[in-house]
Amino acid sequence: MENNRSAVDWGKTKEILRDLLDAHKGVKSGGQVVLVGGSAMLAMDIRISSGDIDIFSPEIDPDLTLDIEKKYQCSLGDSFRIDHTPTENIWGSILIRDILENSPVIDKMQTESGCWTIRCLSPETLFLVKMESGRAKDEADLELIAKSTSAEKLWARFVEVVRWVPDRNALLGFSDRLVSHVQSLFDVAPEKTLNAIRQSLPRGVIDMLSESWNTNAKIHDSTMPENKPKSKNRQYNRNDMDLE
């Protein structure tokens, strides 16, 4: 069957989600669901359609998810997916350990299986997740999400999330991408971003970013290592980052 990758609007998302939750009758008596990805953008009126359903929920049954997915593939095409994340997951280089607590409640669904709390990723979390995905389509979404947040809110969320980066060698790239995107999307000077996030980062990362972006945001007066690379093209020696 021909695929219809833009057929899932907000109304269709709620229909499919209710169908999925109804299917849990006798299995679960309610729970929590967080809309992520494209579904979160629909909930926030950032996008008008999508090709999939994107959710996080520890309570959703994977087998029932597949059953509902197959049901809707008959009308939406074989490529339709319910992308269900059941456990803590790495998005790009980051973990979101407070996904339930930080995602605001947008609805309560009383279904045949019980009452479900529907949450949605905050614009700030969604921005950081998409920023780290490395996919071209997510990069295009950042400009849309930026209209629903601010540089100040992104700085605050970054400071919370950066603690959970599992690979400390990824801190430099994560931070650098934030500086770059805030500059391009909010017309905010790199120095302001570095000053806002510097207390959450190791001194080596801040010093290297400061040199790279040619700012005065260094937080230590100690002499930089002699073998530290020049900032041209932002090439880094990770041994100099002092990540401990």
Side-chain angles (χ1 to χ4, degrees):
M1 179 179 177
E2 183 181 354
N3 294 321
N4 192 347
R5 297 289 295 161
S6 61
V8 185
D9 59 12
W10 179 230
K12 195 67 174 180
T13 296
K14 291 191 290 184
E15 174 193 332
I16 296 171
L17 184 57
R18 177 173 290 279
D19 210 359
L20 175 60
L21 300 181
D22 280 341
H24 284 72
K25 182 178 181 180
V27 179
K28 293 286 184 180
S29 57
Q32 299 195 76
V33 177
V34 182
L35 301 176
V36 301
S39 295
M41 294 184 72
L42 292 180
M44 289 186 280
D45 289 326
I46 296 175
R47 183 190 284 173
I48 62 172
S49 65
S50 181
D52 303 300
I53 303 290
D54 301 301
I55 57 174
F56 167 90
S57 177
E59 286 94 11
I60 294 292
D61 184 277
D63 291 331
L64 292 174
T65 300
L66 287 175
D67 290 342
I68 299 300
E69 180 181 270
K70 291 177 182 177
K71 172 184 174 180
Y72 280 92
Q73 283 176 343
C74 295
S75 59
L76 297 175
D78 293 339
S79 66
F80 169 74
R81 295 287 182 271
I82 299 178
D83 189 357
H84 169 220
T85 302
T87 59
E88 191 175 83
N89 187 52
I90 297 177
W91 279 286
S93 63
I94 59 176
L95 281 169
I96 308 297
R97 293 192 180 276
D98 63 350
I99 188 169
L100 290 174
E101 298 87 347
N102 184 264
S103 300
V105 176
I106 63 168
D107 198 5
K108 296 276 189 177
M109 277 194 181
Q110 186 64 49
T111 71
E112 293 185 9
S113 63
C115 183
W116 293 78
T117 300
I118 311 301
R119 297 176 177 270
C120 179
L121 281 188
S122 69
E124 296 73 42
T125 302
L126 185 59
F127 187 99
L128 295 177
V129 167
K130 282 186 170 286
M131 185 182 79
E132 287 302 281
S133 75
R135 299 183 303 183
K137 67 175 185 177
D138 287 326
E139 190 69 26
D141 286 337
L142 291 177
E143 186 173 351
L144 300 175
I145 301 169
K147 298 176 182 178
S148 297
T149 185
S150 66
E152 291 77 11
K153 290 179 179 178
L154 286 171
W155 296 336
R157 187 57 177 147
F158 174 91
V159 169
E160 294 173 338
V161 169
V162 75
R163 299 172 294 166
W164 305 319
V165 174
D167 179 4
R168 305 312 283 175
N169 286 329
L171 285 176
L172 186 62
F174 183 32
S175 308
D176 186 66
R177 285 185 287 277
L178 179 74
V179 175
S180 177
H181 283 86
V182 169
Q183 181 187 44
S184 63
L185 295 174
F186 298 94
D187 195 25
V188 173
E191 185 170 3
K192 291 191 68 174
T193 296
L194 291 176
N195 282 332
I197 66 175
R198 65 183 185 178
Q199 296 300 330
S200 66
L201 294 168
R203 70 177 188 180
V205 172
I206 280 293
D207 287 347
M208 294 182 80
L209 287 170
S210 298
E211 182 183 19
S212 166
W213 288 98
N214 194 27
T215 75
N216 296 315
K218 292 182 180 179
I219 57 176
H220 294 273
D221 295 328
S222 58
T223 303
M224 299 299 292
E226 293 181 0
N227 64 340
K228 181 178 176 180
K230 302 298 182 181
S231 59
K232 183 179 179 181
N233 297 325
R234 294 213 289 277
Q235 298 295 314
Y236 303 104
N237 181 346
R238 296 195 181 279
N239 292 328
D240 297 330
M241 292 196 306
D242 191 12
L243 298 178
E244 300 298 327

